[in-house]
Amino acid sequence: YPLCALAVSDERPVSTQSTWGAGINPKQALSIGIAVDHRRRNKCDESLKLNAKRLREYKSRLVIFPLKPTSSKPKKGDSSADDIKAVGDQITTKGVFEIEQPNPRLRAVKVTPEMTEGSVYRKLCEARADQKLWRQREIRKEQAAQKKQRRRRRNRS
């Protein structure tokens, strides 16, 4: 299973980390139609890599039309004349780049008697308490062991 939720949406802006991961400056991303939100943070590497991969794919398919089509010299970042002729008209419809939604399959498991006995809530509470109090319990065990040794010494004398 993935460590984080990988629900992908094309309507949500990407983080600046994702744009840098794809090799795109966030300011440039805004100019080529990628919404960027500087407040967003990626919670895990999986979603960061997935977004960066999507942005790289988007950029590879992207054809940037020049502002002045009559100019003889294209600007840096503009597509070549061959690419522009191959595309023809601009595609303005939504859904040109379909997003694959991850679909982790969960398999059904037969319920065993071990699964039904005991309370899961109780087990979680005990595990949380064990994690919180393990050091104090260790100290008490050490103190009890020291007390036993003192008693043995007194009884020997």
Side-chain angles (χ1 to χ4, degrees):
Y1 299 108
L3 297 174
C4 62
L6 289 177
V8 182
S9 171
D10 60 342
E11 296 171 5
R12 183 179 285 178
V14 295
S15 66
T16 52
Q17 294 168 321
S18 299
T19 58
W20 286 120
I24 305 170
N25 186 329
K27 297 259 184 185
Q28 182 194 9
L30 290 170
S31 70
I32 60 174
I34 300 170
V36 179
D37 188 358
H38 69 279
R39 298 168 295 186
R40 281 193 68 197
R41 296 282 177 259
N42 290 88
K43 293 183 180 176
C44 67
D45 288 335
E46 292 177 35
S47 63
L48 177 67
K49 288 176 184 173
L50 188 69
N51 282 339
K53 179 183 169 196
R54 282 181 44 224
L55 291 175
R56 276 193 296 271
E57 183 181 341
Y58 173 79
K59 191 176 177 189
S60 69
R61 292 187 191 179
L62 186 68
V63 176
I64 300 174
F65 287 81
L67 284 174
K68 295 180 183 177
T70 56
S71 68
S72 59
K73 194 174 179 184
K75 285 191 174 181
K76 181 183 174 187
D78 288 348
S79 297
S80 66
D82 298 334
D83 291 340
I84 294 170
K85 285 179 186 174
V87 171
D89 295 330
Q90 285 187 7
I91 301 169
T92 57
T93 58
K94 196 171 186 178
V96 175
F97 298 101
E98 291 297 322
I99 298 173
E100 291 180 26
Q101 291 289 348
N103 189 9
R105 294 268 175 169
L106 300 177
R107 296 188 183 262
V109 179
K110 280 193 173 183
V111 179
T112 61
E114 293 108 22
M115 291 178 182
T116 57
E117 68 185 38
S119 169
V120 176
Y121 175 75
R122 187 77 231 144
K123 287 178 185 175
L124 286 173
C125 286
E126 288 171 4
R128 203 173 294 125
D130 289 342
Q131 183 182 9
K132 184 178 178 182
L133 302 172
W134 74 272
R135 184 63 186 149
Q136 286 125 347
R137 290 176 181 161
E138 289 291 321
I139 291 169
R140 282 187 202 141
K141 283 181 187 176
E142 290 172 9
Q143 289 174 350
Q146 288 173 357
K147 221 177 203 182
K148 271 188 179 180
Q149 285 179 353
R150 285 187 210 139
R151 284 184 187 162
R152 286 182 187 165
R153 288 181 191 160
R154 283 186 205 161
N155 290 340
R156 287 183 188 167
S157 8

